[in-house]
Amino acid sequence: MTEQFVENLETILGRERIFRNEMMKNHTTFRVGGPADILIQPKGEEVGKIIKLCRQEGVPYCVIGNGSNLLVGDKGVRGVVIELASREASIRITGNTIQAEAGAMLSKVANAAAEAGFTGMEFAAGIPGTVGGAIVMNAGAYGGEIKDVLVSVRVIDEYGDAKELPAEALGLSYRKSNIPENRTIVTEAVIRLATGERQEIFDKMNDFKEQRREKQPLEYPSAGSTFKRPEGHFAGKLIMDAGLRGYQVGGARVSDKHCGFVINCGDAAASDICRLMQDVTEEVERQFGITLEPEVKLLGEF
Ligand SMILES: Cc1cc2nc3c(=O)[nH]c(=O)nc-3n(C[C@H](O)[C@H](O)[C@H](O)COP(=O)(O)OP(=O)(O)OC[C@H]3O[C@@H](n4cnc5c(N)ncnc54)[C@H](O)[C@@H]3O)c2cc1C
């Protein structure tokens, strides 16, 4: 990456939103990950310009939301990390439709919907991701998922051009979409909700949050459920039944509170987490013949 490239980035973004050799552990809920060559925090139209620049200069790029479903390698990420999570991301409500920028936190959208008396986003109250990350992952909980409420998205394609896509074009299914990883960037979403009773909506959200506090190890850094739910089973139960509760590699541990969570219980390296995930997968497969598939996304060099 040349100094000229960095100067061009500065022309688009200014200096304050460009960070060199930025430790990714400061941008992931796992608190794990080595240095990104460059991490930037673009807004709105800037995203397309950045993609065009990276493409023109042959610089690799990737996108993150709030880093709550990510395991970033200890050697970090080469090229440019585009971080979209932002407290300033807009959320606009018109009638029963919410238009939210991809960097808006899901919980903030859920709150805005509840305030306005709209039901359908309660499931998202305790998910610590952004709207963009939730769409790519088809995030869901307690019987709801983003697929149920999403109408359309605005994306920037691999050429840096903006496009509108209907939700049906995204192939949303269990924790999955067909959005090409790190090539198409979601920048905005349109969500449609139904009218509901404000107090009931808040009660439901508070109940979900309480259930999380009771059952999940929220006091430790993690990326949520480490593995997807295998058809007809629960990953956490399989791991517990395999005798792996509290199994530890370095600073990575199978949570004692919820075996479906791998937690960082003290300066874990990404390599500890990978080793632990591999050991867990092998043991569950050996005992039950079921192959666990990671839900967390791996990013960078390990
Ligand atoms: C304590 C805890 C509880 C959790 N509970 C749940 C739960 O109940 N249900 C659930 O589904 N998940 C849960 N998660 C996982 C996580 O919060 C979700 O997957 C969330 O949707 C990820 O959003 P994010 O913004 O953090 O995405 P990131 O982790 O930053 O990124 C995830 C993936 O999406 C891509 N991506 C992110 N933003 C964009 C964008 N704008 N355009 C294109 N690609 C993008 C990234 O490249 C990456 O591949 C939990 C996590 C934690 C830590």
Side-chain angles (χ1 to χ4, degrees):
M1 195 179 316
T2 63
E3 280 308 310
Q4 183 59 52
F5 173 79
V6 179
E7 274 177 34
N8 290 343
L9 269 183
E10 286 175 2
T11 310
I12 300 171
L13 294 167
R15 289 213 170 134
E16 303 76 49
R17 289 178 288 133
I18 301 178
F19 306 89
R20 293 177 94 160
N21 294 315
E22 178 68 14
M23 291 303 282
M24 289 302 294
K25 60 163 61 174
N26 298 326
H27 299 267
T28 59
T29 56
F30 239 147
R31 297 279 165 256
V32 165
D37 290 339
I38 292 193
L39 181 140
I40 59 171
Q41 296 168 331
K43 295 180 194 155
E45 304 291 303
E46 292 166 352
V47 176
K49 292 182 187 164
I50 301 287
I51 302 309
K52 284 191 195 279
L53 176 64
C54 288
R55 202 180 153 77
Q56 186 186 311
E57 300 287 326
V59 175
Y61 61 86
C62 63
V63 59
I64 68 168
N66 194 43
S68 67
N69 201 48
L70 282 183
L71 175 56
V72 180
D74 297 320
K75 295 187 185 138
V77 189
R78 306 289 71 83
V80 176
V81 175
I82 301 171
E83 183 182 56
L84 290 185
S86 162
R87 277 199 215 109
E88 291 157 29
S90 74
I91 300 169
R92 289 189 303 271
I93 303 187
T94 321
N96 64 343
T97 298
I98 299 186
Q99 199 166 345
E101 280 190 300
M105 292 301 291
L106 267 191
S107 50
K108 219 170 153 186
V109 176
N111 261 315
E115 281 293 347
F118 291 120
T119 178
M121 277 299 284
E122 293 90 331
F123 75 89
I127 303 180
T130 60
V131 167
I135 292 169
V136 172
M137 297 302 305
N138 186 25
Y142 303 110
E145 56 185 7
I146 205 82
K147 178 176 186 269
D148 302 335
V149 291
L150 188 69
V151 176
S152 63
V153 291
R154 197 171 165 79
V155 300
I156 300 288
D157 69 12
E158 61 191 299
Y159 303 101
D161 296 323
K163 268 196 229 161
E164 304 266 347
L165 296 173
E168 301 76 56
L170 305 179
L172 299 176
S173 60
Y174 174 61
R175 302 298 168 267
K176 215 168 138 184
S177 68
N178 64 12
I179 298 173
E181 221 161 279
N182 292 317
R183 298 223 311 276
T184 297
I185 300 182
V186 178
T187 54
E188 216 168 75
V190 176
I191 289 166
R192 191 161 300 141
L193 301 170
T195 309
E197 210 277 304
R198 205 168 159 274
Q199 194 52 50
E200 266 176 33
I201 298 167
F202 274 114
D203 287 349
K204 202 167 167 190
M205 279 166 41
N206 288 335
D207 177 44
F208 290 161
K209 283 194 253 179
E210 187 49 40
Q211 289 190 47
R212 282 178 189 273
R213 273 190 292 273
E214 248 171 52
K215 295 189 184 132
Q216 300 181 354
L218 301 183
E219 58 281 22
Y220 288 101
S222 80
S225 299
T226 314
F227 299 98
K228 292 189 182 186
R229 201 170 51 223
E231 186 93 41
H233 298 273
F234 290 101
K237 179 153 188 339
L238 289 169
I239 296 167
M240 185 176 72
D241 292 348
L244 292 165
R245 183 195 287 275
Y247 176 66
Q248 195 160 337
V249 175
R253 184 179 174 95
V254 172
S255 163
D256 299 81
K257 195 169 174 184
H258 187 322
C259 294
F261 279 55
V262 172
I263 56 169
N264 177 355
C265 63
D267 228 4
S271 55
D272 297 336
I273 297 172
C274 283
R275 240 303 288 296
L276 183 139
M277 284 172 66
Q278 199 178 330
D279 290 353
V280 164
T281 307
E282 280 173 15
E283 192 55 22
V284 167
E285 187 152 324
R286 192 182 67 78
Q287 292 195 33
F288 308 115
I290 295 168
T291 309
L292 293 176
E293 192 192 328
E295 180 167 322
V296 295
K297 298 268 185 188
L298 272 55
L299 178 68
E301 295 179 354
F302 285 78

